[in-house]
Structure formats: structure tokens, C-alpha cells
Amino acid sequence: MILGSGASPGDPLAWQTRLKRWLKAWMSEAGQARPVVGFCYGHQLLAHLDGAEVVYLWSQEGQREKASGLRRVTLHDETLGLSGPFDLIVSHREGFSEPPAGWRSIAHETHINGARAVEAMRHERSPWWGFQAHPEAVEAFLHNNDVPCALPQPYDGHRVVRAFLSLLF
């Protein structure tokens, strides 16, 4: 499980360079049959590693806008045994418009500035998924990231996390 981060997949940070190297090797070798899921930064990182361009999709007129709040995500395909729709917490500036080769978009949204974002994707051959939202969010996440809403109870994102973890245990 690759969680969110304040970093961008394109940042030349030492820890990120090591993570990318390790993850790419792991995914190309023994990891192909092991489940992987990325949330927000993790979603973007998986796409970036396979060639997607991660950009400031929510920007308008040179401003780096932040998508933040609760967003309904509807899956086009059942995934992880779930069909949705899901009300998920979002807090991000970057995203990507097209899934990389070998991946398929399973949910997308068109934003007010016309950008199409891949909200969720799955790999075509391996048990790997990505979600732009934060299914792992808790109240502290909302507070720390100034997300202007309350965490719904029950929170749909936790169903997504449990569904993924059920593949591991």
C-alpha cells in the first residue's frame, strides 16, 4: 500500500529516488503477482513509473489549485469486489489524464477547467490498483490537510482499504 505524500512523483528527492528504484524492481520481478494499491501520491507514482505524465490538473490561470473535500467516485468496473459509488476524501493538486500503458481507467472525472482525471485505475495483468482519492483518510488527515468537510460515518474509503487488505490476509 503506497499512501499519499506532499511530494510529487516528479520531484528529485533522495528518498523518492530510492523508492522508485525499489518499487520498479519489485513490480517487474517477484511482485507481479502480489497485490499493490496506491492512494493519491501512490496512485500518481504507479502511473508515473509506467510513463504517465503527472501534472497540475486543477490549475487555472497559473494558480496551483487544490482539489479538496468529499467527491463521489463511481467505478466503471467492479474492482476489489466493490462496485461503488463511493464518497471519498480528496486532497491533491496533481493528477493525470490518461492511464499509462498496461493500466486501465476504472473511474474518471472531468473538472471545471476541462481536465479529465483518472480517479481510479487497475493494471491489466497484475493485481495492482490506484485511487486518486484518500480511502485511508481519518479525522486527523482532514485536520492536518485543511480538508473542508467532516469524515462521513461510516466512511466508504475504509471499505476500499478493507477490500484490499482482504487480499493480503
Side-chain angles (χ1 to χ4, degrees), residues 4 6 10 18 20 25 28 36 43 70 80 88 94 100 134 146 151 154 163:
R18 289 189 302 273
K20 288 177 185 179
S28 67
V36 174
H43 170 70
L70 194 63
L80 295 169
L88 300 175
E94 294 178 286
H134 286 276
D146 297 320
L151 190 69

Side-chain angles (χ1 to χ4, degrees), residues 73-134:
V73 175
T74 302
L75 300 176
H76 305 304
D77 299 340
E78 181 177 298
T79 194
L80 295 169
L82 303 168
S83 58
F86 303 99
D87 290 324
L88 300 175
I89 298 296
V90 295
S91 178
H92 49 262
R93 288 184 172 86
E94 294 178 286
F96 53 96
S97 297
E98 295 296 328
W103 292 82
R104 191 160 71 87
S105 175
I106 56 173
H108 67 273
E109 177 187 8
T110 302
H111 298 278
I112 53 173
N113 65 351
R116 179 178 180 264
V118 175
E119 288 289 338
M121 65 179 183
R122 74 170 188 67
H123 196 270
E124 293 173 352
R125 295 176 314 282
S126 299
W128 305 337
W129 298 268
F131 290 84
Q132 180 61 66
H134 286 276

Side-chain angles (χ1 to χ4, degrees), residues 135-159:
E136 81 285 11
V138 295
E139 285 294 336
F141 177 89
L142 301 179
H143 176 74
N144 293 340
N145 291 281
D146 297 320
V147 177
C149 68
L151 190 69
Q153 296 298 327
Y155 175 47
D156 290 339
H158 296 165
R159 287 182 28 227

Side-chain angles (χ1 to χ4, degrees), residues 1-2 23 26-27 31 34-38 46 103 127-130 164:
M1 191 177 295
I2 309 164
L23 189 57
W26 185 83
M27 290 172 72
R34 292 184 182 171
V36 174
V37 68
L46 291 170
W103 292 82
W128 305 337
W129 298 268
F164 176 74

